[in-house]
Tab-separated table of all heavy atoms in Angstrom:
chain	number	residue	atom	x	y	z
K	129	GLY	N	-0.342	8.267	19.123
K	129	GLY	CA	0.426	7.632	20.101
K	129	GLY	C	0.337	8.442	21.411
K	129	GLY	O	-0.345	9.510	21.513
K	130	GLY	N	1.018	7.945	22.444
K	130	GLY	CA	0.912	8.660	23.758
K	130	GLY	C	1.189	7.686	24.916
K	130	GLY	O	1.800	6.512	24.643
K	131	LEU	N	0.909	8.126	26.059
K	131	LEU	CA	1.198	7.324	27.263
K	131	LEU	C	-0.115	6.657	27.801
K	131	LEU	O	-1.181	7.251	27.875
K	131	LEU	CB	1.730	8.164	28.393
K	131	LEU	CG	1.869	7.653	29.850
K	131	LEU	CD1	2.942	6.570	29.827
K	131	LEU	CD2	2.224	8.742	30.824
K	132	VAL	N	-0.051	5.430	27.969
K	132	VAL	CA	-1.288	4.658	28.526
K	132	VAL	C	-0.792	3.652	29.514
K	132	VAL	O	0.236	3.236	29.539
K	132	VAL	CB	-1.994	3.890	27.307
K	132	VAL	CG1	-1.066	2.870	26.720
K	132	VAL	CG2	-3.243	3.424	27.652
K	133	GLN	N	-1.812	3.374	30.476
K	133	GLN	CA	-1.432	2.381	31.478
K	133	GLN	C	-1.602	1.010	30.940
K	133	GLN	O	-2.398	0.696	29.992
K	133	GLN	CB	-2.413	2.661	32.661
K	133	GLN	CG	-2.187	3.889	33.445
K	133	GLN	CD	-3.121	3.978	34.638
K	133	GLN	OE1	-4.062	3.270	34.904
K	133	GLN	NE2	-2.836	5.060	35.551
K	134	PRO	N	-0.941	0.002	31.608
K	134	PRO	CA	-1.191	-1.385	31.175
K	134	PRO	C	-2.536	-1.816	31.279
K	134	PRO	O	-3.439	-1.462	32.066
K	134	PRO	CB	-0.365	-2.110	32.208
K	134	PRO	CG	0.754	-1.149	32.676
K	134	PRO	CD	0.057	0.256	32.736
K	135	GLY	N	-2.874	-2.520	30.107
K	135	GLY	CA	-4.398	-2.951	29.988
K	135	GLY	C	-5.148	-1.832	29.171
K	135	GLY	O	-6.334	-2.283	28.890
K	136	GLY	N	-4.591	-0.761	28.909
K	136	GLY	CA	-5.366	0.292	28.137
K	136	GLY	C	-5.236	0.078	26.655
K	136	GLY	O	-4.796	-0.911	26.217
K	137	SER	N	-5.879	1.062	25.990
K	137	SER	CA	-5.999	0.953	24.613
K	137	SER	C	-5.476	2.251	23.931
K	137	SER	O	-5.612	3.345	24.569
K	137	SER	CB	-7.454	0.780	24.280
K	137	SER	OG	-7.872	-0.405	24.622
K	138	LEU	N	-5.078	2.183	22.705
K	138	LEU	CA	-4.680	3.333	21.850
K	138	LEU	C	-5.131	2.971	20.388
K	138	LEU	O	-5.051	1.796	20.005
K	138	LEU	CB	-3.147	3.745	21.895
K	138	LEU	CG	-2.742	4.400	23.080
K	138	LEU	CD1	-1.151	4.631	22.983
K	138	LEU	CD2	-3.305	5.811	23.368
K	202	MET	N	-5.128	-0.792	19.262
K	202	MET	CA	-4.333	-1.590	20.184
K	202	MET	C	-4.972	-1.678	21.509
K	202	MET	O	-5.229	-0.745	22.157
K	202	MET	CB	-2.874	-0.903	20.373
K	202	MET	CG	-2.100	-0.694	18.965
K	202	MET	SD	-0.424	-0.044	19.235
K	202	MET	CE	-0.900	1.735	19.964
K	205	LEU	N	-2.897	-3.306	26.113
K	205	LEU	CA	-1.487	-2.969	26.050
K	205	LEU	C	-0.649	-3.410	27.224
K	205	LEU	O	-1.204	-3.358	28.337
K	205	LEU	CB	-1.364	-1.431	25.751
K	205	LEU	CG	-1.741	-1.053	24.321
K	205	LEU	CD1	-2.001	0.389	24.345
K	205	LEU	CD2	-0.532	-1.354	23.404
K	206	ASN	N	0.521	-3.717	27.101
K	206	ASN	CA	1.503	-4.014	28.095
K	206	ASN	C	2.787	-3.300	28.019
K	206	ASN	O	3.041	-2.838	26.828
K	206	ASN	CB	1.659	-5.598	28.272
K	206	ASN	CG	2.179	-6.133	27.015
K	206	ASN	OD1	3.322	-5.916	26.588
K	206	ASN	ND2	1.444	-7.048	26.484
K	207	PRO	N	3.654	-3.294	29.010
K	207	PRO	CA	4.883	-2.524	28.936
K	207	PRO	C	5.845	-2.903	27.731
K	207	PRO	O	6.505	-2.165	27.140
K	207	PRO	CB	5.545	-2.775	30.250
K	207	PRO	CG	4.404	-2.892	31.107
K	207	PRO	CD	3.379	-3.774	30.477
K	210	THR	N	5.822	-0.996	24.416
K	210	THR	CA	6.383	0.311	24.435
K	210	THR	C	7.448	0.349	23.225
K	210	THR	O	8.394	-0.301	23.184
K	210	THR	CB	7.067	0.666	25.803
K	210	THR	OG1	6.064	0.742	26.727
K	210	THR	CG2	7.824	1.961	25.691
K	236	VAL	N	4.727	5.205	21.581
K	236	VAL	CA	3.663	4.599	22.363
K	236	VAL	C	4.532	4.203	23.638
K	236	VAL	O	5.499	3.319	23.561
K	236	VAL	CB	3.023	3.391	21.714
K	236	VAL	CG1	2.153	2.653	22.686
K	236	VAL	CG2	2.228	3.872	20.563
K	237	THR	N	4.042	4.694	24.843
K	237	THR	CA	4.541	4.220	26.116
K	237	THR	C	3.497	3.569	26.920
K	237	THR	O	2.400	4.240	27.212
K	237	THR	CB	5.205	5.462	26.729
K	237	THR	OG1	6.097	6.076	25.891
K	237	THR	CG2	5.881	5.004	28.151
K	238	VAL	N	3.660	2.418	27.454
K	238	VAL	CA	2.836	1.764	28.232
K	238	VAL	C	3.479	1.656	29.751
K	238	VAL	O	4.431	0.866	29.828
K	238	VAL	CB	2.416	0.335	27.758
K	238	VAL	CG1	1.341	-0.215	28.637
K	238	VAL	CG2	1.916	0.462	26.362
K	239	SER	N	2.913	2.331	30.638
K	239	SER	CA	3.541	2.401	32.007
K	239	SER	C	2.620	2.804	32.957
K	239	SER	O	1.526	3.597	32.623
K	239	SER	CB	4.740	3.409	31.879
K	239	SER	OG	5.340	3.451	33.175
K	240	LEU	N	2.766	2.549	34.278
K	240	LEU	CA	1.900	3.022	35.307
K	240	LEU	C	2.089	4.466	35.559
K	240	LEU	O	3.221	5.004	35.408
K	240	LEU	CB	2.132	2.173	36.595
K	240	LEU	CG	1.699	0.714	36.536
K	240	LEU	CD1	2.203	-0.059	37.788
K	240	LEU	CD2	0.130	0.634	36.517
Side-chain angles (χ1 to χ4, degrees):
L131 173 65
V132 64
Q133 293 186 349
S137 299
L138 284 174
M202 305 186 292
L205 285 160
N206 58 60
T210 296
V236 171
T237 303
V238 185
S239 179
L240 291 171

